[in-house]
Amino acid sequence: MRATDHMPTELRLPTNAIVQPDKDRFLNEENPFEAMMLRFDRAAELLDLEPGLYKVLRKPEKQIIVACPVMMDNGEIEVFTGIRVLYNTSRGPAKGGIRFDMQVTLDEVTALAAWMTWKCAVVNVPFGGSKGGVICDPLKMSAGELERLTRRYTVGIIATLGPDSDVPAPDVNTNERVMAWIMDTYSMRMGHTVTAVVTGKPVEMGGSMGRREATGRGCTFVTKEALAHLGMTVRGTTVAVQGFGNVGSVTAHLLTREGCKVVAVSDRTGALYTPPGLDIDDVLAYVRHNKTLEGYIKAQALSNDELLTLDVDVLVPAAMENVITTKNAPKVRAKIICEGANGPTTAAADSILEEKGIFVIPDILANAGGVTVSYFEWVQDRGGYFWSEETVNERLRDLMVRSFRDVLELSRQHKVNMRTAAYMLSISRVATVHRLRGIYA
Ligand code: NAD
């Protein structure tokens, strides 16, 4: 059997499907670009953003599409499509992950790049926003094929890559290993080692302590802030976490350590529920051994939909986009939603949650711990001086708590919800820099 026999033929996606997306296909509740733009428009209106700047901030700066020919293990050539979008670089180098996935589209990558722009601005790290993706199914490729694809994609986008221009990180289906290949390819082309070209690298080659846990740790800091704001105690707070991967499992673990009762967790195989609280260390050990939650017998089984509407104090959607929609938002009973995932709530569901008085910590604030420690990694690489894990965690806490309070203050001033306030804060920060810099030429 040839190596390409089990590869979906859709790998050779028609380029025009990507360059000129059929707009009607995307105009729905779940289109990430539309979801981002609806929130952007609301914040821009409240900020009374000048029409010129409004136009500038609604457009990505650069969209790159590259063909990546790869010699497969069987000696045949396959051509993959790679995308990189630099949305806005006015505040500093673009920052954003790279995903390897069959669902990658230019629209989605652009929305995610815009999200990164606002996320970096909310926590006030000196980065712009970008995102990248390659249309492929990495689970059907060998390590050698993935390495050759990564290196070819890196060379395809190398003109804009660099510690001062665009700094990738891991995202869906990419990891430390992939970052190491990107760093090596870039360094070989430059003729010297450039660690700061990517973040999320192995610690042995310039990665930061605490990066792996950073997003979940950040979620924990802002959840505690929200509880304090609402006059609730941390101890005994009930929590449901959707998604038990990097973000969800770390959040569940750290909130348990703080005295919360994590009563439900889930992954793509289903959900577990124990009203008195799950033994999270035991669940973690089970998943380390069995890969998924499937088959864990010391808890009641639940569906992922049921988990979202449990009667808990805090709900942490930490799996994927568009899980809280107009269909289930009326049934959500949590008092606080901490958006560990990117885009878990559709724009249409926002107003339902607001009417119900649910306090939402929006994704661009809640899960910004990851990019914050990526920023710390970039700083450490450039300074050539590495911090202890305690220092990383302490600085992460300072930055997350300060950002939460900045957003809360703005939401009080303008009498808007936390999401609108977060967008207002980030858009105003990006707009200020554009005003100061002026329009070139
Ligand atoms: P991951 O792959 O480690 O974990 C994802 C988890 O979600 C897995 O347990 C998976 O089984 C589960 N899942 C998938 N589909 C599901 C479904 N339909 N229902 C319930 N669970 C499901 O990914 P991650 O790094 O933890 O990322 C999760 C989310 O957080 C994504 O939206 C990602 O973009 C976002 N995020 C991650 C980071 C980071 O540093 N890892 C930073 C910012 C945002």
Side-chain angles (χ1 to χ4, degrees), residues 322-335:
N322 301 326
V323 292
I324 302 174
T325 66
T326 46
K327 290 199 186 80
N328 60 8
K331 291 186 266 174
V332 172
R333 286 186 283 173
K335 298 178 186 70

Side-chain angles (χ1 to χ4, degrees), residues 99 119 131 171-172 211-212 215 242-248 266-269 304 318-321 323 340-342 367-368 370-371:
R99 56 177 59 179
K119 196 182 290 188
K131 204 78 180 188
D171 196 72
V172 177
R211 172 64 186 89
R212 203 193 75 80
T215 306
Q242 187 196 43
F244 204 65
N246 176 305
V247 179
S266 71
D267 67 9
R268 58 169 60 86
T269 65
N304 260 295
M320 51 193 288
E321 316 83 78
V323 292
N342 286 315
N367 69 36
V371 78

